[in-house]
Amino acid sequence: MSEGANRVNVLDLAPAEAEQRLRDFASARGVGAYRGSQVLRHLWAAPAPGFQVMSDLPLAFRAELERAFAMPRLELADEQRSSDGTRKFLFRLHDGQTIETVAIPDGDRVTLCISSQAGCALQCSFCATGLMGFYRNLLPSEIAGQVRELALLPEPVRPTNIVFMGMGEPMMNWKAVDVVLTILNDPKGCGIGARHITVSTVGVLPGIEALAKRPEQFRLAISVHAPTDELRRMLMPVNIKFPLEQVIDAAATFSRRVTFEYVMLGGVNDQPAHVTELARLAKRCGAFVNLIPLHPGGAGSYTPTSPDGIRRFAAGLAKHGVEVAVRKSRGTDIAAACGQLRVERLRRRPPRPADQHGEVDVA
Ligand code: SAH
């Protein structure tokens, strides 16, 4: 067991709970409860790399914190920069697992694409993460830690928007994601507005229901990618467990507007018939459709739909009265699509069967 393995990791706790514990601890040590709130500030709002360097706290108290609590770092193992400003970070976790985070600047905005699992069990046929198989769920500290680490860089990266579109399926790790949403949104956490935080899912129904129950305006994106069960089953094996119609029904009852993600696979899901079928689904739940150019270097041997083809597809949807946008492809020169950096470094291992890890635990 590693040193201090029984210390409480304060980065795994929602800010209110972390604050309570830290204040109680401070009171018990006779330094005043407010010292606990000072520590909390150094977790997310004004991050410090460790207790020792919290220079606004008494030295002896810092040493006591160190003995009772942990606030582990993620090790930055690699970084790549795209000519378009997109930056991709590879973090190594304590057990050697590696995860990716992508920062995408766009005008005044910086969108951070974060990972929720090491690997992924779902094996969508075009996705690089699916190819590597599932390793494990990330802890809240490892998911929100990606945001924290970027704020700790010598030139801090401060995101305005967060999307759960890195490695993994967030709804298959809901227990952790639930806490992370609080950390990201809480003014005493990262303080990012709920409407600037998007959870992207293949359509794990219990997860969608759990997100719907949250009172904050977190956004939901659904990876649709095919407008019929028949085609979707081929692209996304998870469609067997959570069929399209049920996913659309869940989207229709979601209290906020939902986004459909639709990756454009040449000759596969980009035909005129698909326009009509997709428009029907989008209208049924009032969804906004995001067409995504296929990122080269994913899995499978797909060819991207041509830019013209994508424009035609978008125009077709618009004609049906569906709101649609074409996502700008970013970071193509640094393999910035889901899972690609890690895959490059691991030199493709055989995937594990998805069904070993298919349990959804949202309690
Ligand atoms: N598991 C979640 C979140 C991670 S993937 C989900 O599937 O929604 C984030 C998005 O990237 C998904 O819409 C996924 O389908 C898409 N994606 C994966 N591989 C891609 C590729 N090669 N090109 C373009 N988009 C891709």
Side-chain angles (χ1 to χ4, degrees), residues 87-108:
R87 293 167 73 183
K88 177 149 177 159
F89 303 88
L90 187 76
F91 290 109
R92 186 172 296 115
L93 308 178
H94 66 88
D95 60 352
Q97 288 296 330
T98 48
I99 54 165
E100 302 173 353
T101 309
V102 182
I104 308 160
D106 190 9
D108 307 339

Short mmCIF file of all heavy atoms in Angstrom, two decimals, residues 87-108:
data_model
loop_
_atom_site.label_atom_id
_atom_site.label_comp_id
_atom_site.label_asym_id
_atom_site.label_seq_id
_atom_site.Cartn_x
_atom_site.Cartn_y
_atom_site.Cartn_z
N ARG A 87 -4.75 22.16 -28.04
CA ARG A 87 -3.70 21.49 -27.30
C ARG A 87 -4.22 20.21 -26.71
O ARG A 87 -5.33 20.15 -26.19
CB ARG A 87 -3.19 22.40 -26.17
CG ARG A 87 -2.49 23.62 -26.70
CD ARG A 87 -2.28 24.64 -25.62
NE ARG A 87 -1.23 24.24 -24.68
CZ ARG A 87 -0.91 24.97 -23.60
NH1 ARG A 87 -1.57 26.07 -23.33
NH2 ARG A 87 0.06 24.58 -22.81
N LYS A 88 -3.39 19.20 -26.80
CA LYS A 88 -3.81 17.90 -26.30
C LYS A 88 -2.84 17.44 -25.23
O LYS A 88 -1.63 17.46 -25.43
CB LYS A 88 -3.81 16.92 -27.47
CG LYS A 88 -4.15 15.52 -27.09
CD LYS A 88 -4.85 14.84 -28.24
CE LYS A 88 -5.14 13.42 -27.91
NZ LYS A 88 -6.19 12.90 -28.74
N PHE A 89 -3.40 17.05 -24.07
CA PHE A 89 -2.59 16.66 -22.92
C PHE A 89 -2.83 15.18 -22.62
O PHE A 89 -3.97 14.71 -22.66
CB PHE A 89 -2.99 17.47 -21.69
CG PHE A 89 -2.88 18.96 -21.92
CD1 PHE A 89 -3.96 19.68 -22.46
CD2 PHE A 89 -1.71 19.64 -21.63
CE1 PHE A 89 -3.86 21.04 -22.69
CE2 PHE A 89 -1.61 21.00 -21.85
CZ PHE A 89 -2.68 21.71 -22.38
N LEU A 90 -1.74 14.48 -22.33
CA LEU A 90 -1.86 13.10 -21.89
C LEU A 90 -1.43 13.05 -20.42
O LEU A 90 -0.31 13.45 -20.09
CB LEU A 90 -0.96 12.20 -22.74
CG LEU A 90 -1.12 10.69 -22.50
CD1 LEU A 90 -2.41 10.18 -23.16
CD2 LEU A 90 0.06 9.91 -23.07
N PHE A 91 -2.33 12.60 -19.55
CA PHE A 91 -2.01 12.51 -18.13
C PHE A 91 -1.80 11.06 -17.73
O PHE A 91 -2.57 10.19 -18.15
CB PHE A 91 -3.14 13.09 -17.27
CG PHE A 91 -3.26 14.59 -17.39
CD1 PHE A 91 -4.33 15.17 -18.07
CD2 PHE A 91 -2.29 15.42 -16.84
CE1 PHE A 91 -4.44 16.55 -18.18
CE2 PHE A 91 -2.38 16.80 -16.95
CZ PHE A 91 -3.45 17.37 -17.63
N ARG A 92 -0.77 10.83 -16.90
CA ARG A 92 -0.56 9.49 -16.37
C ARG A 92 -1.09 9.45 -14.94
O ARG A 92 -0.79 10.33 -14.13
CB ARG A 92 0.93 9.12 -16.40
CG ARG A 92 1.17 7.66 -15.99
CD ARG A 92 2.61 7.20 -16.20
NE ARG A 92 2.99 7.20 -17.60
CZ ARG A 92 3.92 8.00 -18.13
NH1 ARG A 92 4.57 8.86 -17.36
NH2 ARG A 92 4.22 7.96 -19.40
N LEU A 93 -1.89 8.42 -14.64
CA LEU A 93 -2.49 8.29 -13.31
C LEU A 93 -1.59 7.42 -12.42
O LEU A 93 -0.64 6.81 -12.92
CB LEU A 93 -3.89 7.69 -13.44
CG LEU A 93 -4.79 8.41 -14.46
CD1 LEU A 93 -6.15 7.73 -14.57
CD2 LEU A 93 -4.96 9.88 -14.09
N HIS A 94 -1.93 7.33 -11.13
CA HIS A 94 -1.03 6.66 -10.18
C HIS A 94 -0.77 5.20 -10.53
O HIS A 94 0.27 4.65 -10.22
CB HIS A 94 -1.60 6.77 -8.75
CG HIS A 94 -2.89 6.02 -8.60
ND1 HIS A 94 -2.93 4.69 -8.26
CD2 HIS A 94 -4.18 6.40 -8.81
CE1 HIS A 94 -4.18 4.28 -8.25
NE2 HIS A 94 -4.95 5.28 -8.56
N ASP A 95 -1.72 4.57 -11.22
CA ASP A 95 -1.53 3.15 -11.58
C ASP A 95 -1.00 2.98 -13.00
O ASP A 95 -1.03 1.89 -13.54
CB ASP A 95 -2.85 2.39 -11.41
CG ASP A 95 -3.97 2.95 -12.29
OD1 ASP A 95 -3.77 4.00 -12.93
OD2 ASP A 95 -5.04 2.32 -12.35
N GLY A 96 -0.54 4.05 -13.59
CA GLY A 96 0.06 3.95 -14.92
C GLY A 96 -0.92 4.15 -16.07
O GLY A 96 -0.51 4.27 -17.22
N GLN A 97 -2.23 4.17 -15.76
CA GLN A 97 -3.21 4.43 -16.81
C GLN A 97 -2.99 5.83 -17.39
O GLN A 97 -2.57 6.73 -16.66
CB GLN A 97 -4.63 4.36 -16.25
CG GLN A 97 -5.09 2.96 -15.93
CD GLN A 97 -5.17 2.08 -17.17
OE1 GLN A 97 -5.43 2.55 -18.27
NE2 GLN A 97 -4.93 0.79 -16.99
N THR A 98 -3.29 5.99 -18.66
CA THR A 98 -3.16 7.32 -19.25
C THR A 98 -4.49 7.77 -19.82
O THR A 98 -5.26 6.97 -20.37
CB THR A 98 -2.07 7.34 -20.36
OG1 THR A 98 -2.29 6.25 -21.24
CG2 THR A 98 -0.68 7.27 -19.77
N ILE A 99 -4.76 9.06 -19.67
CA ILE A 99 -6.00 9.65 -20.16
C ILE A 99 -5.69 10.96 -20.89
O ILE A 99 -4.65 11.57 -20.66
CB ILE A 99 -7.00 9.93 -19.02
CG1 ILE A 99 -6.33 10.78 -17.92
CG2 ILE A 99 -7.54 8.63 -18.45
CD1 ILE A 99 -7.31 11.40 -16.95
N GLU A 100 -6.63 11.37 -21.71
CA GLU A 100 -6.40 12.55 -22.53
C GLU A 100 -7.35 13.69 -22.20
O GLU A 100 -8.51 13.47 -21.83
CB GLU A 100 -6.67 12.20 -24.00
CG GLU A 100 -5.83 11.09 -24.50
CD GLU A 100 -6.26 10.67 -25.90
OE1 GLU A 100 -7.29 11.17 -26.39
OE2 GLU A 100 -5.57 9.84 -26.48
N THR A 101 -6.86 14.88 -22.38
CA THR A 101 -7.65 16.10 -22.22
C THR A 101 -7.29 17.01 -23.38
O THR A 101 -6.12 17.14 -23.72
CB THR A 101 -7.27 16.81 -20.90
OG1 THR A 101 -7.33 15.86 -19.84
CG2 THR A 101 -8.21 17.97 -20.60
N VAL A 102 -8.30 17.61 -24.01
CA VAL A 102 -8.02 18.48 -25.14
C VAL A 102 -8.57 19.88 -24.85
O VAL A 102 -9.71 20.02 -24.40
CB VAL A 102 -8.66 17.92 -26.44
CG1 VAL A 102 -8.33 18.81 -27.64
CG2 VAL A 102 -8.17 16.50 -26.71
N ALA A 103 -7.74 20.89 -25.07
CA ALA A 103 -8.17 22.28 -24.90
C ALA A 103 -8.32 22.91 -26.27
O ALA A 103 -7.38 22.90 -27.08
CB ALA A 103 -7.14 23.05 -24.07
N ILE A 104 -9.51 23.44 -26.54
CA ILE A 104 -9.83 23.97 -27.87
C ILE A 104 -10.18 25.45 -27.75
O ILE A 104 -11.29 25.79 -27.33
CB ILE A 104 -11.01 23.19 -28.48
CG1 ILE A 104 -10.74 21.68 -28.43
CG2 ILE A 104 -11.28 23.65 -29.92
CD1 ILE A 104 -11.99 20.83 -28.55
N PRO A 105 -9.25 26.34 -28.10
CA PRO A 105 -9.57 27.77 -28.05
C PRO A 105 -10.40 28.17 -29.26
O PRO A 105 -10.21 27.64 -30.36
CB PRO A 105 -8.20 28.45 -28.08
CG PRO A 105 -7.27 27.46 -28.67
CD PRO A 105 -7.88 26.09 -28.56
N ASP A 106 -11.35 29.08 -29.04
CA ASP A 106 -12.18 29.56 -30.15
C ASP A 106 -12.65 30.96 -29.78
O ASP A 106 -13.59 31.11 -29.00
CB ASP A 106 -13.36 28.60 -30.35
CG ASP A 106 -14.12 28.91 -31.63
OD1 ASP A 106 -13.63 29.74 -32.43
OD2 ASP A 106 -15.20 28.32 -31.83
N GLY A 107 -11.98 31.97 -30.30
CA GLY A 107 -12.30 33.35 -29.90
C GLY A 107 -12.04 33.52 -28.41
O GLY A 107 -10.96 33.19 -27.92
N ASP A 108 -13.07 34.02 -27.70
CA ASP A 108 -12.91 34.23 -26.25
C ASP A 108 -13.10 32.96 -25.46
O ASP A 108 -12.95 32.95 -24.24
CB ASP A 108 -14.03 35.17 -25.70
CG ASP A 108 -14.11 36.45 -26.46
OD1 ASP A 108 -13.10 36.78 -27.10
OD2 ASP A 108 -15.17 37.10 -26.39
#
